[in-house]
Amino acid sequence: MEYTVFRTDGQGGLRREQVSAAPLPSDGVRVAVRAVGLNFRDSYVIRGNRYRAPLKDAIPMTDAAGVVAAVGSAVTRFRVGDRVCSTVLPNWIDGPLSAHGMARSTAVLAEYFDAGENDLVAAPPHLSDEEAATLPVAALTAWHAVAELRVLAEGDTVVVQTTGGVAVFAMQFAAAMGARVIAVSRSEEKLRRSGAWATINTEVYPEWDQQVLALTKGEGARLVLDMGLNDSLRRSARAAAYEGTVAIIGVVQEQTNPLDIYTVMNKNLNVRGVETGSRAMFERMNRFMAQHNLHPHIDAVYDDVDAGLDRLASSPYGKVVLSLRY
Ligand SMILES: NC(=O)c1ccc[n+]([C@@H]2O[C@H](COP(=O)([O-])OP(=O)(O)OC[C@H]3O[C@@H](n4cnc5c(N)ncnc54)[C@H](OP(=O)(O)O)[C@@H]3O)[C@@H](O)[C@H]2O)c1
């Protein structure tokens, strides 16, 4: 059998290749890709940015939903026809993150990809293929920060910066847990769509941390999801409550920014990095989404990779998804 894969050409584009299917190992699962979710990093992997050259000869993208097309003789977790999602760090099954957990990733921009049976999770039955393809990175990272850190309780306040893929999931999860969401964004239109308990437009209030304090009667937020806005780490620490947590998720400005260690120290803050999540977290998230009938916010679905990447670069609300024909 032959099938199509896409590889980065190192010049901001992709080239299409036909490859012959390798024999499946006994624990292997071949997945027919139905939809691919785009993430912030996919853009610089393919197109590069000010600080990084595009990768050459790599199959990009990590987030796929698909159908099991074939299984090896020893596979017990899945059967042909099952709907599955990829995992971004397939070695991280459960428990704390380790070097082993970080050692391997996934590459899914292809008609089929082969995985070990332990590398996949069942796609939530209440979600379409396009919806399920948004989960492996953005939803899981948001779930990790909002639920798995176990710092946010019903009635607590959480600040979520931006209205991109991770942020919109974080708002959905936090609201479903009964928390009060304060959304922080450059876009008034997207803030209106967020349905958050309160919103702060950074174009109007660059000192958004002061607004968080005003909205919380001086108390601050129990949890702040920091996406690396301009000067955001200092502001996130100021916006957090005493004994609160600043979860460092990303750097949308391309460069990191300084942390005010005095605020961290004086407020007993917990400043915590958040790397995607384990397969066990993914499965707990899927159960939560099914229980609360949560559906991802999909901004748009494209059948062309360039069009999808262009949309991603234009600050969509929620997720951009590819549904490719071969
Ligand atoms: N730690 C992890 O495991 C993990 C996982 C996924 C993503 N991330 C990181 O988290 C960040 C957000 O990822 P995402 O997938 O949610 O991204 P995304 O869907 O592309 O959304 C990015 C959002 O950031 C806001 N933004 C503010 N300043 C920006 C700027 N200068 N350039 C681009 N966007 C800007 C925009 O929202 P507004 O218009 O509302 O301001 C935009 O919609 C990225 O840094 C990404 O690398 C980390």
Side-chain angles (χ1 to χ4, degrees):
M1 170 183 131
E2 287 214 329
Y3 62 89
T4 305
V5 303
F6 292 89
R7 285 186 194 279
T8 52
D9 64 9
Q11 295 174 338
L14 294 167
R15 56 167 205 278
R16 184 187 273 262
E17 262 179 35
Q18 287 297 110
V19 297
S20 299
L24 263 187
S26 59
D27 69 340
V29 177
R30 181 155 300 143
V31 180
V33 176
R34 291 251 182 100
V36 172
L38 293 187
N39 288 299
F40 194 85
R41 76 184 285 278
D42 297 325
S43 173
Y44 61 74
V45 164
I46 297 171
R47 295 179 167 179
N49 64 20
R50 253 188 305 161
Y51 303 97
R52 308 167 208 240
L55 287 187
K56 196 164 189 301
D57 296 330
I59 298 178
M61 304 190 188
T62 52
D63 292 16
V67 176
V68 173
V71 293
S73 56
V75 168
T76 57
R77 292 188 69 233
F78 298 104
R79 287 189 301 196
V80 170
D82 285 351
R83 292 172 68 240
V84 291
C85 292
S86 58
T87 58
V88 64
L89 296 174
N91 283 358
W92 190 11
I93 301 292
D94 199 359
L97 182 57
S98 63
H100 175 70
M102 285 294 279
R104 194 161 63 93
S105 191
T106 303
V108 302
L109 192 60
E111 197 174 358
Y112 294 88
F113 71 93
D114 291 350
E117 64 169 330
N118 285 317
D119 302 355
L120 302 166
V121 295
H126 75 297
L127 299 187
S128 68
D129 295 331
E130 286 79 9
E131 289 174 326
T134 67
L135 303 179
V137 167
L140 183 57
T141 305
W143 171 257
H144 183 169
V146 168
E148 299 279 345
L149 294 184
R150 296 180 185 280
V151 296
L152 195 67
E154 193 175 343
D156 283 347
T157 305
V158 54
V159 172
V160 179
Q161 296 175 0
T162 80
T163 55
V166 178
V168 173
F169 275 119
M171 292 188 221
Q172 284 182 282
F173 294 146
M177 288 165 60
R180 298 190 308 186
V181 176
I182 301 179
V184 174
S185 161
R186 309 171 290 185
S187 160
E188 195 58 42
E189 187 263 322
K190 291 199 287 173
L191 283 173
R192 266 198 299 275
R193 288 181 66 183
S194 73
W197 172 75
T199 62
I200 304 171
N201 185 333
T202 52
E203 301 290 305
V204 181
Y205 299 109
E207 290 165 354
W208 56 266
D209 47 317
Q210 300 305 317
Q211 294 300 311
V212 172
L213 293 176
L215 285 162
T216 55
K217 300 188 170 59
E219 198 179 312
R222 185 56 37 209
L223 173 65
V224 181
L225 268 59
D226 192 293
M227 301 288 177
L229 304 180
N230 191 21
D231 199 22
S232 67
L233 283 175
R234 284 192 312 139
R235 293 191 187 285
S236 291
R238 288 186 204 139
Y242 282 82
E243 305 279 352
T245 296
V246 176
I248 300 180
I249 310 280
V251 187
V252 291
Q253 294 283 335
E254 297 182 355
Q255 273 184 313
T256 55
N257 54 76
L259 180 66
D260 176 357
I261 54 168
Y262 291 103
T263 310
V264 173
M265 182 176 68
N266 293 335
K267 287 172 117 177
N268 274 4
L269 295 184
N270 179 21
V271 179
R272 164 72 202 225
V274 173
E275 170 58 52
T276 50
S278 65
R279 196 185 81 196
M281 291 181 192
F282 199 155
E283 287 164 343
R284 284 193 285 274
M285 174 184 78
N286 286 354
R287 284 196 290 277
F288 182 87
M289 290 187 78
Q291 202 182 345
H292 293 267
N293 194 25
L294 294 181
H295 288 258
H297 281 280
I298 295 184
D299 177 271
V301 180
Y302 293 92
D303 59 8
D304 175 74
V305 181
D306 268 327
L309 289 175
D310 286 347
R311 181 61 192 146
L312 190 66
S314 68
S315 292
Y317 182 83
K319 293 295 294 178
V320 178
V321 177
L322 301 175
S323 179
L324 300 179
R325 293 187 201 91
Y326 298 93

